[in-house]
Each structure stands twice: as structure tokens, then as C-alpha cells.
Amino acid sequence: MGPDGMHPRVLRELADVIAEQLSIIFERSWRTGEVPENWRKANVTPILQKGEKEDPDNYRPVSLTSIPGKMMEQLILEVIIKQVEEKKVIRSHQHGFTKGKACLTTLIAFYDGMTGWVDEGRAVDVVHLDFSEAVDTVSHNILIGKHGLDKWSVRWIEKWLNGRAQRVVIRSTESSWMSVTSSVPQGSVLGPVLFKFFINDLYEELESTLSKFAEDTKLGGVVGIPAGCAAIQRDLDRLESWAERNLMRLNKGRCRVLHLGRNNPMHQYTLRGDLLKNNSVEKELGVLVDDRLTMNQQCALAAKKASGNLGCIKKSVASKSREVLLPLYSALGRPHLEYSVQFWAPQFKKDEEVLETVQQRAMKMIRRREHLSYEERLRELGLLRLKNRRLRGDLINAYKYLKGGCLEYWARLFPVVPSDRTRGNGHKLKHRKFQLNMRKNFFPLRLTEHWNRLPREVVESPSLEVFKIRLDKVLCSLL
């Protein structure tokens, strides 16, 4: 429950009774711009993430807010999204909390440019930036000035931000209320989109390639000549000035530089005179990216996480039946092997085997199949080898990007060959040139041949669900 004491289950069970009253409150709030006090309060509950319970730094604060208040926020959000799409307020390099974009899309879009430069023999530097407590330091006054929305929405959001308060609640013990004069409200529906407005002007006047997923920001550029290093340094100075103007702060100790490509000058960058550290591997949105772009460290990490979960399942679950273990593996093991795998898919046979070994281990845990080979177990359980699942995932994601939203944005990554639609599937992708295996195995390039082989009826499926059904029929005949 939030501070208003209204339990979600009570609201759900009594929906038919209270819907009309809530709609009256929502409409009056919108017309008058007034926001009930309980909608501007939050109970903060600390959740232990790791380490010792006595260390406050090991806890993550989770804010619980009013459920009716969130329902009103959802209505406001729909209005905001419509205006954002019509006016194109949010810049295309922002992938966080954006329809049709996610962690995977930001990694693919950014590194398509970086791997392309490396493939051409150029040296490339990628600077990963870290804003200290980015969401918690957002100034309400500055945020209100960055919107591009209609006056009705701005008035309601301003009232919603003003006079906010929160308290810490642990079991039945409550702290006193404290006013909140900054930060995007955690636990809110509007919080993510408001943060996007706040950092939307971060891109202005930058010379380097910029990528953003919420507050996760990175710069990339060619540095084979001194002018390239100087351009990135100027951009870092601009970002530092932007942070100061917006009352934010870059955590210099956690900003890192990844040097890519041959003959890289390994230039030392600074933020206000402090040298930034160089890393040979960097974790980006949960994926380890190394300076050789081989992705072998990410493959090892994914296998380690999945194997760890399988070990926990083996120790804590007595049943070895298919009905119990297969859903557990699908929910707790395989997701580690496939999270954003379209970006980091293994390039070498040894890395493929590292991942496949995890699934083999999971299949061995299921009883009464010890006499069967690995392939026979997969057929009996209705599963595919991970390599084949990755191919299926490649084609499904290609369909989403080519047929879904942001068509102009994805046209650069997936160029379609002009066709009279009389030969092939009518939607063939253009083959792009490459020199290195690293580039050959990058998602938009490696799927081209497989996509072009698909029949017309598969490619022209009217929906994603139909595409998956037709694709599975084709793959069954090929694999």
C-alpha cells in the first residue's frame, strides 16, 4: 500500500463500485490542476541487494505511492506520449523508456557505427559517463522549463511535483515526513518520461556520436588523428558544463574510456583536470564489451550466471520431473544466456560450446532421459539448440525493426534493396561489405543472408504473432 492506505487488491475487487467516483476525481484534478496531497507522498522501503545487512549502502530504496494517483499519472502519460510522437520532442538517440526501443536497440545502434569504423581500420574511443545519483538530483524548477507540452499538462505536472514528501517505512515503524524538492519521483508512472525531458538537451552541439538509455550515456568517435581526440575532449567539456547548469554532477571516478581498433593512440581524457581511467572491458546495460569486441567475456559471464542458478535449482528443488525443471530452466537459467544476445552473440565455436554446455547440464537434470543423447532430449522436450534459438531471435527482431515503429531510424541499420517484388521475398536486405570477423558477426550483417532466404509469405506476415508461427514452420524444415 501507498501512504493513502488503499490496498491494490481492494481497488481491484471493488472496481465496479468505485470506478465512477474515481473518474470524477480524475476529471476534476485535470480541469482544476489540483493534485490531492496523498498523490504527492511516498513510503520508502529499503530492499537489501547484497552484502551485509548493517551497511545502508547495500540497500535499494523502493518508493510506494498511491495507486489511484498512479492511475491518474497513466492518463496524463497517454496525453504526453501523444504529444511527444506528434511534435517529435524526444531526440532519436534516447532509447530509454521509448516505444520500440530498449537496451538491445541502443547497443546495436551505437556499436553499428563503432564496429563499422574499426572494420575500416580506424581507431575509436568510447567514453562511458556516469552521473552521480542522476534521478535523485533533478531540479524541479529546471525540469518544469524543459517540456514542450501543452499548458494543461505542464500545470498538472507542476502541481504534482510541488509539495512532495516521503518517509521511510520498515515493517510497522515509520519515520517523520521529509519534503522532497528535487528528483524525479521514484515509483511513479511519469518519472521516466520526465527524466527524458530533463536530459533531452544533452545532445546539443556535440561533435561525437552520443547514445543514451535513460541516464546511461556514452560518447564515441574516430581518434586516429589528434583532431578526433580533441573533438571528444571538447564534448566532455560541454557535458561537464551542461551538468553544472542543470545542478547535476558527473562521477569522474566511474567514468571510463574504452579504446578500440588498431594503432589506437590511447589518449588520456580529462574532466575538469581529472584523468579518466582506461578499461579493457566495460559493462554496458548488463553486457560486457571488451576492447577487441570479441564478446568472449560476456559469453563466459552469461554461462556463469546461468550455471549458478541451475546449481541453486538442483540443491533446492527435490523434483526432477520435466513439469518442474523445464519451467524453472526457462525462467531462471536460459534468460541469462539470451539477454540482449542479438548484440553479443558468440563469434567463436568455443564460446558457442560454453553456452550450449549450460543447456546440456539443464537437460541432464531431468530424470528418465539419461539414455538419450542431447539432440534426442531436445526433440522430446520440444526445444532447440541455443544456436538455432539465436537465429530465430535474430529474425524476429529484424521483423520488429523493419515492420514496427521508428522505420526511418532503422533504415540505416537494415537497408532494403529496391525491388519490383517479383523475385525473392520482396524485402531483401542489402549486403554490406566487411573486412573483419568482428564486423561479419555483428547483428545487422549476420542476419542478412538468413532474412533474404525467407519466403515472401513469412516476411509479409501481417503481425508479429503470425510471423513467429510461419517462421517456426520454415525453421523446422531447415534445422
Side-chain angles (χ1 to χ4, degrees):
M1 296 183 293
D4 56 7
M6 300 180 68
H7 198 283
R9 183 173 180 180
V10 174
L11 295 172
R12 185 181 63 213
E13 298 293 339
L14 300 179
D16 293 339
V17 179
I18 64 176
E20 183 176 354
Q21 285 76 14
L22 284 177
S23 67
I24 294 172
I25 294 173
F26 294 157
E27 183 176 2
R28 183 168 299 180
S29 175
W30 172 252
R31 291 187 179 278
T32 63
E34 297 299 323
V35 180
E37 182 180 0
N38 277 334
W39 293 4
R40 291 176 283 135
K41 290 184 174 182
N43 287 339
V44 179
T45 301
I47 303 297
L48 181 65
Q49 288 186 301
K50 59 182 179 180
E52 298 293 332
K53 295 182 179 180
E54 293 76 14
D55 187 353
D57 290 337
N58 292 333
Y59 289 81
R60 178 184 178 185
V62 176
S63 296
L64 301 178
T65 57
S66 168
I67 300 299
K70 286 185 178 180
M71 294 166 65
M72 181 63 185
E73 290 177 50
Q74 186 64 47
L75 297 175
I76 303 293
L77 179 62
E78 293 173 6
V79 175
I80 292 176
I81 290 176
K82 184 177 180 181
Q83 295 180 48
V84 167
E85 292 177 349
E86 291 176 351
K87 300 179 181 180
K88 296 183 178 180
V89 177
I90 303 298
R91 300 176 187 270
S92 61
H93 55 259
Q94 173 61 264
H95 288 246
F97 315 114
T98 302
K99 184 179 179 181
K101 297 181 180 181
C103 295
L104 175 61
T105 63
T106 187
L107 290 169
I108 291 174
F110 181 77
Y111 277 98
D112 180 67
M114 303 303 112
T115 57
W117 285 331
V118 172
D119 190 65
E120 294 171 0
R122 303 185 184 185
V124 176
D125 282 348
V126 177
V127 183
H128 299 84
L129 302 173
D130 182 84
F131 288 94
S132 298
E133 301 177 343
V135 175
D136 296 329
T137 55
V138 172
S139 167
H140 289 175
N141 291 333
I142 297 176
L143 174 60
I144 290 299
K146 299 183 177 186
H147 49 77
L149 304 175
D150 68 276
K151 63 179 182 180
W152 291 76
S153 299
V154 174
R155 181 185 65 171
W156 194 91
I157 291 172
E158 187 173 8
K159 292 285 187 179
W160 178 71
L161 288 173
N162 289 337
R164 298 197 67 87
Q166 64 184 23
R167 65 183 177 184
V168 177
V169 178
I170 301 177
R171 297 187 181 92
S172 59
T173 304
E174 303 168 350
S175 71
S176 58
W177 289 104
M178 296 292 293
S179 61
V180 179
T181 57
S182 65
S183 84
V184 173
Q186 294 188 21
S188 65
V189 175
L190 290 176
V193 72
L194 293 181
F195 186 75
K196 285 201 301 183
F197 283 128
F198 187 81
I199 64 173
N200 192 44
D201 58 348
L202 188 67
Y203 183 76
E204 293 179 357
E205 300 180 356
L206 295 185
E207 303 172 60
S208 309
T209 300
L210 178 74
S211 178
K212 292 192 299 185
F213 187 91
E215 76 273 17
D216 184 274
T217 305
K218 50 184 173 283
L219 289 172
V222 176
V223 295
I225 56 177
C229 300
I232 292 180
Q233 183 59 62
R234 286 194 297 271
D235 286 341
L236 290 174
D237 295 338
R238 293 185 183 106
L239 291 173
E240 181 75 12
S241 298
W242 180 92
E244 292 178 356
R245 291 195 307 271
N246 289 272
L247 305 181
M248 299 186 73
R249 183 170 56 88
L250 283 166
N251 187 344
K252 301 174 186 179
R254 297 184 63 179
C255 294
R256 299 284 191 271
V257 182
L258 195 64
H259 299 289
L260 308 175
R262 294 181 179 179
N263 302 318
N264 193 297
M266 308 294 285
H267 183 76
Q268 289 283 330
Y269 299 97
T270 63
L271 278 174
R272 287 293 185 265
D274 294 333
L275 292 176
L276 300 184
K277 294 181 180 180
N278 300 330
N279 265 10
S280 60
V281 61
E282 188 66 30
K283 196 167 190 177
E284 300 185 26
L285 300 174
V287 177
L288 287 180
V289 180
D290 60 83
D291 55 7
R292 297 175 59 193
L293 298 173
T294 60
M295 303 302 172
N296 58 344
Q297 294 191 52
Q298 169 60 27
C299 292
L301 177 64
K304 181 180 179 181
K305 289 182 176 179
S307 295
N309 281 5
L310 288 181
C312 292
I313 293 172
K314 187 174 182 179
K315 291 179 181 179
S316 58
V317 179
S319 175
K320 305 301 177 185
S321 67
R322 166 183 178 171
E323 291 74 19
V324 174
L325 292 184
L326 192 56
L328 286 174
Y329 165 68
S330 300
L332 302 177
R334 195 166 60 194
H336 288 294
L337 306 174
E338 297 184 341
Y339 165 73
S340 293
V341 73
Q342 274 62 54
F343 169 66
W344 59 266
Q347 302 177 18
F348 306 109
K349 186 72 174 179
K350 63 177 183 178
D351 292 328
E352 287 185 4
E353 293 174 352
V354 166
L355 299 178
E356 200 71 46
T357 299
V358 179
Q359 180 163 274
Q360 290 178 346
R361 178 187 173 192
M363 298 303 99
K364 289 181 179 179
M365 291 168 56
I366 301 177
R367 66 183 179 188
R368 297 179 182 175
R369 288 169 177 81
E370 295 81 0
H371 63 287
L372 299 177
S373 67
Y374 177 51
E375 296 293 343
E376 291 172 334
R377 291 175 188 172
L378 291 179
R379 282 196 295 270
E380 185 175 327
L381 296 172
L383 300 178
L384 295 173
R385 292 180 68 92
L386 293 178
K387 180 179 180 179
N388 296 334
R389 280 184 58 86
R390 288 193 293 271
L391 172 59
R392 181 177 183 271
D394 284 354
L395 296 171
I396 290 174
N397 277 280
Y399 177 87
K400 290 195 294 186
Y401 300 151
L402 289 166
K403 303 292 184 178
C406 308
L407 294 181
E408 295 180 2
Y409 184 82
W410 296 115
R412 177 177 59 85
L413 291 178
F414 303 97
V416 178
V417 178
S419 171
D420 57 7
R421 301 169 64 88
T422 59
R423 299 181 62 184
N425 60 34
H427 298 271
K428 288 191 174 182
L429 301 179
K430 181 180 179 181
H431 286 274
R432 292 197 275 172
K433 296 181 180 180
F434 58 85
Q435 299 293 330
L436 306 175
N437 284 333
M438 168 272 303
R439 182 65 173 166
K440 174 186 176 181
N441 288 292
F442 192 66
F443 172 57
L445 281 77
R446 71 169 183 266
L447 72 83
T448 299
E449 183 178 353
H450 300 291
W451 176 268
N452 291 346
R453 288 179 179 177
L454 292 178
R456 182 186 296 269
E457 61 270 16
V458 177
V459 172
E460 295 185 350
S461 298
S463 67
L464 180 60
E465 290 71 22
V466 174
F467 176 80
K468 290 179 180 179
I469 294 173
R470 295 177 178 176
L471 175 64
D472 288 339
K473 291 180 180 179
V474 172
L475 291 179
C476 285
S477 62
L478 297 177
L479 301 178

